[in-house]
Amino acid sequence: MAPALASAKLTLSYPVYASDFDPQNSNFLLVGGGGGEGRTGLGNKIVIDHLPSPRCNTLIRSQTLINTSRKQTVSEVVEINLSQDEDSVTSLAVASSTSSSVIAFAGINSSEKDQAVGKNEHLRSFRLEYPPKRSPDSGSGKDGEAQEYQGQTAPLGRASLFRPSTAPKKETYQRITRLSRPSKINGGQLGAIATGLAPEGEIVLFDAKSNGPMGPWVEARLLLGEGEEAAGVDIVGLDEAEDVPPGTFSVAYCTNYEVHVCRTTLKHNTQPQSQLAYGEPHPDTFSSVKARPKFRSLRFITPHLLLLLQNRPNRQGADLLLLELSPSNQGRIISRKPLHSGINSATALSVTNLAALTPSQSTQHVISVAGLDGSISIHTLEHPFRPPFKSLKLRLHNLLRSIHPLQITSLSFSTFLPPQTPQNSTPPQYIKLASTSIANTVVVHTLPLIPSPPPSKKSPKQRYVLASPGRSDATQMTLSVIISALAIALGAFLLQAFTEIRGGSPEYLGAKGWLNQRVHDYIALPYMFENGTSTAVASISGLSDHASSTSSSIHKQITNTIVDLRDTVSDSAKAAQETLADSPEIAKEAISSALDAASAAASELKEASEAYTDTASQSITSAFSSTTAEASNQYLHIRDLLFRHHNHRRHVDPSNTDVPHMIIHHDDEDGDKLKAGFHRVGQEGAKEAKRFEELSEKEREIWKRKLREAGVWAVDEGEAVLKGVFFGGVAQAVGRVVGG
């Protein structure tokens, strides 16, 4: 849900069924309702709500004036009651207004007594004078205290336009009252009223500019079928059309399953012919749902585009449909938008137009839909002024939840009048949305507008659109959680990469491979295991283990040879001893045979021993040769090489010059830097190299100081790790120290 809009709420003493804004002054709202004919104890009233500014809202109930000058609170000022002998106000519409008064039409049934004799003057007209302007501080007495109404409420007329009901129980009432905007050509205004609970529904068109419902007031009558009622009616002028007479209006109405359109003019005794524009198709034979969705209301967006509100069967939701009308008034659905899932059924619809300055600009309509759960869904529709309607943008703008505790009965938007002042001196612009309910509540929301595009020197006048509501709390929380999670993941990734590069953890990401060789040599360090060995040393240990395994196999072979030799000699000695007494010649031959066997075993023992020595030396040499190549290719750090040499020098014969030894020397390009590697003594890069033990005391101190400064050796690690290491360029090192 988006952030809350500014709103003012008032609880009246009666259920409210209808509302409408003054089209010329959005500070006044007319509401009406009541408890019906004198049985409930609730009065029948019409209310005018005075809203002086977006921050100061005032209401008048017919006949009650209510001060809502404070942003979050409202209070009653004046109350005017209607007769309790008649029915409540079921529908109303403001026809015209001046700065001092307003003329309105309302649907109010006559008393049951009058209806029983066939007299039901259901259509009423009133002129209501506005109270004098007052400052917010002087607009009322104490909070909640009604003031005496100084203006006049004059009834202009009443009439019975519907055909007399033929039903045994007279329940027909004026369910819908709709008025067109005054014509731009001749100022004519067409009105429409529709029946509710009638045996046969009908729609009556009348001249709304008449001072009262009398004389030749009825313009046309549209008869519906038996049991059918108009779910919604709307009227639009065709002043800008090229192929119609001046003062022509288009009338659209919908029943449960059909949409009809007709054209009429303000000429008496004309009977327009309505034609079917769209019919809801029957469900497929194999569909599990046999019921069809029902139309709830409709509004003209343009003379060629209709907005339809439709409820799905079994309260499974509601949809907004856009119906494009052809020149022959044949319609096709060009867009369908499901409403929020929380709205299982819609009860009211209202639309207002934020007119564009030129026909070439896109136009925005603001749409509000009331749900059965007391919520209001606000949408915006961006569309071109004329067909074809290819770039329609119907979007959800805001969802206002739980606005009323019970069913919403009406919605009405104020009329937006573009400001005539320059953009830089225009105050903030707003439209207002009023909603009423059977819970006696009236709520007015203030919706801010913004210029689109923003004003500039080249285009000082801009059209206005509904301001973005901003992110909802749930959306803001979700975005915050996602951004936080991404930030944590990125931080962990960078930390892992850094620790891998600096040797603080095993390599999982392969971060060292991301660096170029120069940067790698400067900052990369090998990973050290808990036992003090590095990753490279661990690989050497594997090669050493392989050599040890090979040596163990050879050693086992030698041991078996010795055991066989012992057994052979022992057996020969026993045989000689047994035969010595009987036959000296045979004993002599046995001893000779034993000596030959011993000689053969000794030869085998010598060969196995030589094989053991050669294999062990080759395995160790191979391990160090592989490590040397790795060190040469990867330029391993000197500290890593020191620990590698210290842990494995026991496998190497110090006098064996064929086995590579670790040598530390100065860099040829930069004499202040140290380089290390594995070289054979006497090989290029290892000439004039001396073991650490062979260095003089002064030379040892010089090299230890250089190793400390390079950060590859510490005093507390002792000289044991340096033993056996060759140091090259000793004379140059001493010369640099003396020269420095």
Side-chain angles (χ1 to χ4, degrees), residues 97-373:
S97 66
T98 64
S99 60
S100 60
S101 65
V102 61
I103 295 177
F105 292 92
I108 304 173
N109 272 359
S110 299
S111 65
E112 292 184 359
K113 182 179 179 181
D114 290 342
Q115 292 185 56
V117 297
K119 182 181 179 182
N120 182 16
E121 297 174 321
H122 53 82
L123 180 59
R124 316 290 177 92
S125 62
F126 301 88
R127 176 184 284 113
L128 306 176
E129 290 188 359
Y130 289 142
K133 293 183 179 180
R134 304 173 184 175
S135 64
D137 296 334
S138 62
S140 63
K142 298 180 180 180
D143 289 348
E145 185 176 300
Q147 302 297 307
E148 182 181 358
Y149 181 56
Q150 302 297 329
Q152 293 183 355
T153 303
L156 299 180
R158 57 174 64 193
S160 177
L161 302 186
F162 294 143
R163 295 176 302 170
S165 175
T166 58
K169 186 176 182 180
K170 312 301 183 185
E171 295 180 327
T172 302
Y173 70 98
Q174 187 175 311
R175 181 174 179 269
I176 296 174
T177 303
R178 291 289 297 171
L179 301 176
S180 72
R181 291 187 178 182
S183 171
K184 297 179 181 179
I185 297 177
N186 54 18
Q189 188 175 20
L190 184 67
I193 57 174
T195 58
L197 298 180
E200 295 182 358
E202 63 178 318
I203 299 172
V204 177
L205 306 179
F206 63 93
D207 184 359
K209 278 297 183 180
S210 300
N211 291 330
M214 60 190 66
W217 196 34
V218 175
E219 299 294 338
R221 190 183 303 272
L222 303 175
L223 301 180
L224 309 180
E226 183 177 355
E228 289 189 346
E229 290 185 351
V233 180
D234 200 20
I235 311 169
V236 65
L238 302 179
D239 294 338
E240 298 182 3
E242 299 178 355
D243 56 345
V244 297
T248 302
F249 296 89
S250 181
V251 180
Y253 67 92
C254 62
T255 59
N256 286 339
Y257 307 113
E258 296 178 346
V259 178
H260 295 261
V261 178
C262 69
R263 290 182 178 179
T264 186
T265 59
L266 292 176
K267 294 181 180 180
H268 306 306
N269 301 322
T270 60
Q271 184 60 39
Q273 296 297 323
S274 66
Q275 61 184 97
L276 177 65
Y278 178 79
E280 182 64 29
H282 288 273
D284 187 82
T285 306
F286 301 100
S287 176
S288 58
V289 180
K290 301 301 181 182
R292 289 186 289 173
K294 295 182 179 180
F295 294 114
R296 183 64 179 83
S297 185
L298 58 74
R299 289 292 185 271
F300 273 107
I301 300 298
T302 73
H304 305 284
L305 188 63
L306 271 173
L307 177 71
L308 308 175
L309 176 61
Q310 189 179 61
N311 286 325
R312 301 175 198 166
N314 304 320
R315 294 186 177 180
Q316 295 299 312
D319 302 281
L320 286 174
L321 287 70
L322 288 172
L323 182 71
E324 183 179 10
L325 299 175
S326 67
S328 60
N329 286 333
Q330 295 299 314
R332 67 183 183 94
I333 301 297
I334 60 174
S335 179
R336 180 186 297 267
K337 182 174 182 60
L339 296 181
H340 188 270
S341 58
I343 299 179
N344 53 19
S345 182
T347 61
L349 171 70
S350 183
V351 178
T352 189
N353 178 21
L354 303 180
L357 297 178
T358 62
S360 61
Q361 289 181 318
S362 294
T363 301
Q364 185 181 83
H365 276 72
V366 185
I367 304 164
S368 63
V369 180
L372 192 61
D373 60 345

Side-chain angles (χ1 to χ4, degrees), residues 639 643 704 708 711-722:
R639 180 178 178 82
F643 279 94
K704 286 194 293 184
R708 283 199 314 273
V712 298
W713 177 80
V715 176
D716 55 0
E717 292 175 343
E719 295 181 358
V721 298
L722 303 178

Side-chain angles (χ1 to χ4, degrees), residues 362-398:
S362 294
T363 301
Q364 185 181 83
H365 276 72
V366 185
I367 304 164
S368 63
V369 180
L372 192 61
D373 60 345
S375 63
I376 299 176
S377 175
I378 301 176
H379 301 258
T380 58
L381 173 62
E382 290 276 352
H383 63 90
F385 184 77
R386 293 188 176 93
F389 302 104
K390 295 182 179 180
S391 57
L392 298 174
K393 298 178 181 179
L394 180 58
R395 298 190 178 105
L396 175 65
H397 179 271
N398 211 325

